[in-house]
């Protein structure tokens, strides 16, 4: 990628004075383009679309969302380009534009929000998504190891950018090329080898049918309206979260398990499930005593996504009063409850 860099020498000093402090233009068009493209093609492009699709459901509506989003982004880009041309003598991007239009206070607040919340939160989210969603495919990591990898990834990027703008730009150029080539390869493979049906765009299956076919809630389970399931095995029962719950949570990255021997009241929190989108409590469907926990979730929390009704069980409890089971939902009743949520 061509990179026509601009001279980085300090600004000329006035007669008898020192060099004027300020930002130096040292990135060319190639590097600036790579920054923009690389920022847009991040870990989120493989996570957010699934959430959007689950929300809008209809394929044509999904396409409309992306088309409208693309058009809105285009107008935003044109507006930013015009502002950049109007303030070509100053550096600072949106900070400068907001300061000139709304005053110094707004620009000041935006600058600090960008540093403390917007950019910081974005970097943390993308780093955690990389360490929890993609890195485990190559290196098995515990939840603590995944978080440590995310922190190390951030520190590595800090060190590169601290070394200099050019060093950061070179790394960004390489990463952007890798991401662009990988994404293009995925698109090519899907269009060349996937066996789709254009009819799915105009005549998708009814939502109720999709629920029954995709989830297939076991008939020997009992369910709660908070989306826990319970499978009775003698005096004991396995407890987990339903397929609907894991879809709502998204990619699960950590599960907090209770101590063996803990006494649980009905509707008492068993533990916490943390995903890339939220943190949620899991509640005991009935009262009982924890006799075992699924230790595998400590290493592979995404078992809750892959097999929520099987290997993704959370705890085994000794049921205190089996009469409480009568107050739980059967599979058919739970599916009807979900169909009501879909409408």
């Amino acid at each position: 990628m061509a990179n026509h860099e601009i001279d980085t020498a300090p600004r000329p000093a006035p007669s008898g004075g020192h060099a004027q402090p300020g930002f130096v233009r040292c990135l060319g068009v190639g590097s600036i383009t790579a920054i923009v493209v690389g920022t847009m093609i991040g870990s989120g492009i493989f996570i957010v679309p699934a959430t959007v699709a689950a929300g809008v459901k209809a394929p044509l509506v999904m396409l409309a969302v992306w088309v409208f989003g693309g058009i809105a982004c285009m107008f935003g880009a044109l507006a930013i380009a015009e502002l950049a041309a109007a303030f070509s003598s100053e550096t600072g991007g949106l900070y400068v534009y907001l300061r000139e239009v709304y005053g110094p206070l707004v620009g000041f607040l935006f600058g600090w929000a960008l540093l403390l919340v917007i950019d910081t939160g974005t970097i943390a989210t993308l780093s955690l998504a990389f360490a929890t969603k993609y890195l485990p495919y190559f290196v098995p990591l515990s939840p603590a190891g995944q978080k440590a990898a995310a922190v190390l990834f951030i520190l590595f990027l800090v060190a590169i950018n601290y070394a200099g703008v050019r060093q950061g730009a070179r790394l960004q150029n390489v990463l952007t090329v890798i991401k662009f080539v990988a994404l293009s390869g995925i698109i090519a493979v899907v269009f060349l080898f996937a066996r789709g049906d254009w009819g799915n765009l105009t005549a998708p299956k009814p939502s109720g049918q999709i629920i029954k076919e995709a989830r297939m809630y076991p008939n020997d389970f009992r369910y709660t309206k908070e989306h826990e399931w319970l499978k009775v095995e003698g005096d004991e029962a396995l407890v987990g979260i339903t397929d609907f719950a894991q879809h709502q949570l998204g990619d699960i990255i950590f599960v907090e398990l209770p101590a063996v021997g803990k006494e649980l009241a009905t509707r008492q929190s068993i533990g916490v499930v943390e995903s890339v989108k939220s943190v949620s409590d899991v509640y005991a469907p009935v009262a009982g005593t924890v006799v075992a926990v699924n230790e595998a979730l400590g290493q592979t929390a995404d078992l809750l996504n892959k097999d929520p009704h099987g290997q993704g069980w959370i705890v085994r409890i000794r049921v205190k009063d089996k009469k409480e089971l009568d107050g739980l939902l059967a599979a058919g009743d739970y599916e009807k409850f979900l169909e009501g949520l879909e409408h």
Side-chain angles (χ1 to χ4, degrees):
M1 183 178 291
N3 184 23
H4 306 289
E5 297 183 344
I6 299 174
D7 184 15
T8 60
R11 295 180 182 177
S15 178
H18 298 286
Q20 293 292 323
F23 295 108
V24 178
R25 297 171 182 264
C26 59
L27 296 182
V29 175
S31 292
I32 294 172
T33 303
I35 290 173
V36 175
V37 174
T39 302
M40 293 300 101
I41 305 177
S43 302
I45 66 171
F46 298 106
I47 299 173
V48 176
T51 303
V52 175
V56 299
K57 299 179 180 65
L60 289 179
V61 177
M62 283 187 260
L63 291 176
V65 168
W66 268 276
V67 170
F68 177 78
I71 293 173
C73 288
M74 177 62 72
F75 281 117
L78 292 173
I80 294 296
E82 185 173 356
L83 286 169
F87 296 96
S88 59
S89 61
E90 296 190 62
T91 56
L94 287 174
Y95 162 75
V96 174
Y97 312 150
L98 292 172
R99 183 196 66 196
E100 294 299 318
V101 175
Y102 299 107
L105 178 61
V106 172
F108 173 82
L109 293 175
F110 171 77
W112 279 104
L114 198 67
L115 173 65
L116 299 177
V117 181
I118 302 172
D119 279 354
T120 307
T122 300
I123 293 170
T125 300
L126 293 178
S127 298
L128 190 60
F130 168 77
T132 58
K133 183 65 178 176
Y134 307 115
L135 192 58
Y137 283 108
F138 306 98
V139 182
L141 293 172
S142 66
Q146 293 172 352
K147 293 181 179 180
V151 171
L152 290 175
F153 183 64
I154 293 173
L155 292 177
F156 169 73
L157 294 179
V158 168
I160 292 294
N161 285 279
Y162 179 79
V165 174
R166 284 196 178 95
Q167 287 83 347
R170 292 190 187 104
L171 177 62
Q172 180 67 69
N173 291 346
V174 172
L175 295 178
T176 297
V177 170
I178 292 174
K179 289 189 285 187
F180 184 79
V181 171
L183 185 60
S184 299
I186 292 173
I187 294 171
V189 168
V190 169
F191 275 90
L192 291 175
F193 301 106
R195 296 180 178 179
D197 187 343
W198 289 103
N200 291 330
L201 293 175
T202 56
K205 294 179 180 179
S207 60
Q209 184 178 352
I210 293 174
I211 289 174
K212 292 177 181 178
E213 291 184 1
R215 295 172 183 148
M216 294 298 292
Y217 294 100
N219 288 324
D220 58 338
F221 284 21
R222 291 293 180 266
Y223 303 88
T224 72
K225 291 185 178 181
E226 289 73 34
H227 311 294
E228 292 93 12
W229 59 261
L230 180 144
K231 181 183 180 182
V232 179
E233 297 179 346
D235 294 331
E236 298 177 352
L238 292 176
V239 177
I241 62 172
T242 66
D243 185 64
F244 177 86
Q246 68 88 10
H247 274 295
Q248 295 296 107
L249 287 168
D251 296 307
I252 295 171
I253 59 176
F254 176 73
V255 182
E256 179 187 71
L257 299 170
V260 174
K262 181 178 181 179
E263 297 287 338
L264 297 172
T266 304
R267 308 310 311 140
Q268 181 179 345
S269 177
I270 293 174
V272 173
V273 173
E274 180 181 345
S275 73
V276 295
K277 297 195 298 183
S278 64
V279 176
S280 300
D281 283 293
V282 179
Y283 298 99
V286 296
T289 304
V290 177
V291 295
V293 297
N294 190 352
E295 298 288 354
L297 295 178
Q299 300 293 326
T300 52
D302 62 349
L303 279 176
L304 285 173
N305 294 120
K306 296 175 180 177
D307 191 12
H309 300 153
Q311 297 181 42
W313 63 275
I314 298 175
V315 298
R316 179 186 289 273
I317 63 173
R318 183 176 294 111
V319 180
K320 184 176 182 180
D321 183 1
K322 286 191 174 182
K323 291 182 180 179
E324 284 194 89
L325 300 175
D326 297 333
L328 303 178
L329 300 174
D333 295 329
Y334 181 65
E335 288 180 355
K336 289 179 181 178
F337 171 69
L338 292 182
E339 290 180 16
L341 296 180
E342 295 285 327
H343 296 94

